[in-house]
Amino acid sequence: MPAFVGAVKVNSVSASSILHIGDVYAMSPTSSAKTFAGGGSFNTGDGLKINLDHSYTYVLDKDVMDQNIVGNA
């Protein structure tokens, strides 16, 4: 049965989200990201003491595309 929608105000839609108004059969948002982080980057906890005197993150990524997303299937 069709949906009747009144006035809609959209303030913002983020990069990997879906704006849905009315009837829908299936929705499948997709997104991809690449993160480079060095030693001690994702540590969590209370009272951490991390000593990284000379920490470097070397990134050599020769391929152009890593996670190809072609359409929403």
Side-chain angles (χ1 to χ4, degrees):
M1 181 173 211
F4 293 101
V5 179
V8 175
K9 179 182 178 184
V10 178
N11 290 329
S12 67
V13 177
S14 65
S16 63
S17 64
I18 292 178
L19 174 65
H20 164 74
I21 299 173
D23 295 337
V24 68
Y25 174 70
M27 298 185 300
S28 59
T30 56
S31 66
S32 65
K34 183 186 289 188
T35 304
F36 301 108
S41 296
F42 298 112
N43 293 326
T44 58
D46 294 331
L48 288 175
K49 292 184 180 182
I50 300 167
N51 186 3
L52 300 172
D53 290 334
H54 300 287
S55 177
Y56 299 100
T57 301
Y58 298 104
V59 176
L60 179 63
D61 190 13
K62 293 183 180 182
D63 55 346
V64 177
M65 294 184 281
D66 291 329
Q67 298 175 350
N68 299 334
I69 295 177
V70 180
N72 268 346

